[in-house]
Amino acid sequence: MKRPLNVLVVGSGIAGMSYAIELAGSAIGRNVRIRLLSKAPVHASSSYAAQGGVAAVMDARDSFDGHVEDTLMVGGGRNEPKVVDRIVREGPHLVNKLIAMGASFDADVSGRLHLSLEGGHSAARVVHHEDRTGAEIVRVLRGRVRALPMIEVWEGWQALDLLVQGEHDQRRCAGLSALEQRTGTMHTLQADLVVLATGGVGQVYQHTTNPTASTGDGIAMAVRAGVPLRDMAFVQFHPTAMYTGTSGQAFLISEAVRGAGARLLCHDGKPLMDGLHAMGDLAPRNVVARAIHREMERSGTEHVWLDIAPVGAARFAREFPAIDRRCGELGLRPVRDLLPVMPAAHYLCGGIATDDRGRTDLPGLLALGECAGSGSHGADRLASNSLLEAMVIAMRAAAIAPTYAPSDGPITANAFAEFSITGRTHASIDRAIRDLRHAMTCHVGVVRDRDGLACALRTIAHAELVVARRWVRRRLSDGLFNLRDMTAVARVITEAALAEPRSVGTHFLADEVASPEHRSSRSTKIQARFARR
Ligand code: SIN
């Protein structure tokens, strides 16, 4: 018998766990060893926090064509239509599979699924578990992972760099170096196949719905290994994160709340989206986020309002219990109080370039979920398409696992393996992270212009210098690794934005034309207000 295929999955969110489970259940499942590495506990993942749900055609009145068209419309025509089509058609199978695995989705007494409506959708098609769909799917997948003996979960391990063997067309991924956080030591982990499922990049911005672990580490590893990326200019800002006056991770108010009837209001009480888009409050996210940004700029404030009254208190509490609870913790009474909301970095539409089976340009390396760019999202992502995409591509990727063979021969040792971290972060690193977030928010956010993008690159270059100085002296720390990854992703986002000549989807250039939609050439007022919190 051949030795088992040795697979390292980096990231224990829905993409990583789905792949591990599918691989374990595949034709080669009895002869694999899967190590699932994660730097943060599973309940601290973006997947776990996902509120909305899984977009899928589950109603006879809906159609695959409709779902595909909505995805392409929101994506600004920058999607790969074939990939979109494939993913959309797998939606019902995926939902039924999750139900068979034990996932509970909201349904009426006859068992008919309750489908919610979100932005950009022409039909209600979001399958959900209250407003905690991610937590429900994670619960089911986690249970399955625990029951499969070929999957080992290594929590508290931070992947640092890919190990690449060979040159030119002989290059292949042979494993990675990783930091064991408990001991502060670096290890070289050899593998026949590495699967990056490290999630998003929201932490490079001042306000994000993403957890603290979303520093873009998988993407940064790919950049350093010379693996191609795509669509990196397209960072989606969710229009309605809860405004609390602080920076960092912001609590999300699901778009399904607007789908249920909630309205965005300006400071003078006027409906914010009236006359701006045919879909009103449920226009594509980039349109709504920009409208909010403009209103914040006009009024000199840091948020707009979300009016829950059209939903009603009882329905709101029943359908959105987690949001209702969070409002209570903040002293807000939905319906009686308007909720203060603002746009926050939410989802990277691009990532490590892959095909529709998660394969990257580097043999032996797959990428799945938010860190991957399969082309399905284009220039803006249709609401609740991300969990769908992550799980469908994970299934498709695992289905071709039998084509991978255990590799033989020694690998070259990784220089990292001989180092330990000092355990201390340094004030210069904290400062560089703060400056980076500030520059990305002001210049590479909802509204951009070329001068601002160039200015952001200067801040990024400074942060790179901070990294380089400590790197050469091997002053290694968690903070340094995070800053190193954050500068890498900030640079590729900003350079990709500079290379996009026209506004499309989430990429809006204020200096492209003096458009009636946004005449101010700089977001100066907002820049000043968000100054270095
Ligand atoms: C939401 O519930 O509004 C977020 C869902 C998503 O990002 O697709």
Side-chain angles (χ1 to χ4, degrees):
M1 190 167 150
K2 283 193 296 190
R3 76 163 173 83
L5 189 76
N6 184 352
V7 181
L8 274 173
V9 180
V10 189
S12 62
I14 283 175
M17 283 200 289
S18 295
Y19 181 81
I21 293 166
E22 291 291 324
L23 182 60
S26 74
I28 60 162
R30 287 182 187 284
N31 205 25
V32 289
R33 176 189 184 202
I34 306 167
R35 277 169 292 174
L36 197 59
L37 262 61
S38 75
K39 63 177 180 181
V42 70
H43 60 263
S45 66
S46 273
S47 295
Y48 189 85
Q51 295 181 358
V54 182
V57 176
M58 303 301 290
D59 183 328
R61 289 163 298 182
D62 196 3
S63 70
F64 291 134
D65 286 351
H67 190 174
V68 169
E69 270 167 34
D70 293 348
T71 303
L72 300 181
M73 183 274 288
V74 171
R78 294 289 291 265
N79 327 57
E80 299 289 342
K82 281 201 182 119
V83 178
V84 174
D85 194 71
R86 230 158 251 155
I87 291 169
V88 161
R89 283 174 194 281
E90 285 292 322
H93 168 65
L94 172 73
V95 170
N96 290 327
K97 190 170 172 149
L98 288 168
I99 292 171
M101 287 169 78
S104 147
F105 296 122
D106 290 12
D108 64 18
V109 280
S110 67
R112 201 174 54 211
L113 288 170
H114 177 266
L115 304 172
S116 48
L117 182 63
E118 292 190 33
H121 285 277
S122 57
R125 59 168 77 95
V126 179
V127 178
H128 63 104
H129 174 99
E130 299 173 346
D131 53 355
R132 299 183 304 108
T133 311
E136 174 62 7
I137 297 175
V138 164
R139 179 187 71 76
V140 168
L141 298 182
R142 185 100 171 117
R144 190 57 70 96
V145 161
R146 282 206 185 101
L148 290 165
M150 61 291 271
I151 305 178
E152 301 162 29
V153 179
W154 289 25
E155 235 172 49
W157 283 70
Q158 179 171 359
L160 301 175
D161 274 299
L162 295 170
L163 203 57
V164 180
Q165 288 273 96
E167 288 186 11
H168 310 294
D169 57 355
Q170 298 300 308
R171 272 163 51 95
R172 74 173 180 87
C173 185
L176 48 79
S177 56
L179 169 70
E180 186 184 7
Q181 290 165 336
R182 188 179 53 85
T183 58
T185 49
M186 251 75 85
H187 301 261
T188 297
L189 305 177
Q190 206 174 331
D192 303 308
L193 189 62
V194 172
V195 183
L196 294 177
T198 51
V201 303
Q203 286 294 328
V204 303
Y205 290 91
Q206 284 178 317
H207 304 278
T208 178
T209 61
N210 295 181
T212 51
S214 298
T215 51
D217 36 4
I219 294 170
M221 287 162 71
V223 170
R224 290 191 289 268
V227 181
L229 312 179
R230 63 173 294 168
D231 302 333
M232 287 298 295
F234 305 125
V235 179
Q236 180 183 80
F237 282 73
H238 197 291
T240 55
M242 183 81 92
Y243 170 80
T244 56
T246 58
S247 58
Q249 190 178 358
F251 186 79
L252 182 71
I253 311 285
S254 175
E255 206 161 60
V257 174
R258 274 176 284 135
R263 306 284 321 265
L264 286 161
L265 301 181
C266 300
H267 284 274
D268 59 8
K270 290 206 182 94
L272 185 115
M273 290 305 296
D274 273 9
L276 291 182
H277 193 279
M279 299 182 92
D281 287 86
L282 292 175
R285 285 186 187 162
N286 72 79
V287 176
V288 182
R290 236 172 4 254
I292 294 175
H293 181 92
R294 204 168 45 249
E295 168 61 10
M296 284 160 53
E297 222 181 23
R298 189 198 64 75
S299 60
T301 55
E302 298 182 355
H303 64 83
V304 295
W305 299 107
L306 187 66
D307 182 10
I308 306 293
V311 185
R315 181 177 174 200
F316 185 72
R318 191 174 62 247
E319 292 187 11
F320 305 104
I323 303 174
D324 193 46
R325 204 163 35 248
R326 183 71 189 133
C327 289
E329 286 163 8
L330 293 169
L332 291 164
R333 297 152 305 172
V335 174
R336 284 180 63 182
D337 296 331
L338 297 173
L339 307 186
V341 292
M342 61 173 185
H346 183 60
Y347 190 87
L348 176 67
C349 301
I352 305 161
T354 71
D355 64 7
D356 62 1
R357 292 191 187 273
R359 286 175 291 207
T360 71
D361 193 50
L362 181 65
L365 180 71
L366 303 185
L368 300 171
E370 190 173 348
C371 73
S374 69
S376 65
H377 303 311
D380 194 6
R381 174 176 63 84
L382 182 66
S384 288
N385 263 2
S386 48
L387 297 183
L388 170 73
E389 189 238 23
M391 289 185 277
V392 168
I393 295 197
M395 286 188 322
R396 294 177 58 77
I400 56 162
T403 61
Y404 301 112
S407 47
D408 20 67
I411 58 162
T412 44
N414 187 300
F416 260 151
E418 55 198 77
F419 289 99
S420 296
I421 60 168
T422 60
R424 289 188 308 274
T425 188
H426 192 263
S428 63
I429 294 172
D430 295 340
R431 204 165 38 242
I433 290 178
R434 246 188 348 260
D435 290 350
L436 188 74
R437 286 181 171 147
H438 177 252
M440 292 300 287
T441 303
C442 292
H443 304 304
V444 202
V446 177
V447 173
R448 305 160 175 185
D449 65 41
R450 288 181 180 80
D451 288 350
L453 292 171
C455 176
L457 280 181
R458 287 194 289 278
T459 306
I460 293 165
H462 175 76
E464 286 166 343
L465 209 62
V466 173
V467 173
R469 283 202 189 112
R470 300 190 70 76
W471 200 260
V472 289
R473 283 181 279 143
R474 286 293 189 233
R475 298 268 196 271
L476 306 180
S477 64
D478 294 15
L480 183 67
F481 287 129
N482 284 339
L483 179 61
R484 184 174 74 128
D485 290 343
M486 289 164 77
T487 53
V489 295
R491 176 169 285 284
V492 287
I493 292 170
T494 309
E495 288 181 346
L498 269 167
E500 280 292 338
R502 304 242 173 285
S503 296
V504 55
T506 61
H507 173 66
F508 185 84
L509 283 171
D511 58 348
E512 178 193 19
V513 277
S515 73
E517 194 191 348
H518 200 290
R519 287 195 186 278
S520 96
S521 65
R522 296 276 176 82
S523 317
T524 39
K525 286 189 239 159
I526 289 197
Q527 288 168 25
R529 279 202 313 282
F530 285 158
R532 294 181 180 77
R533 293 242 167 95

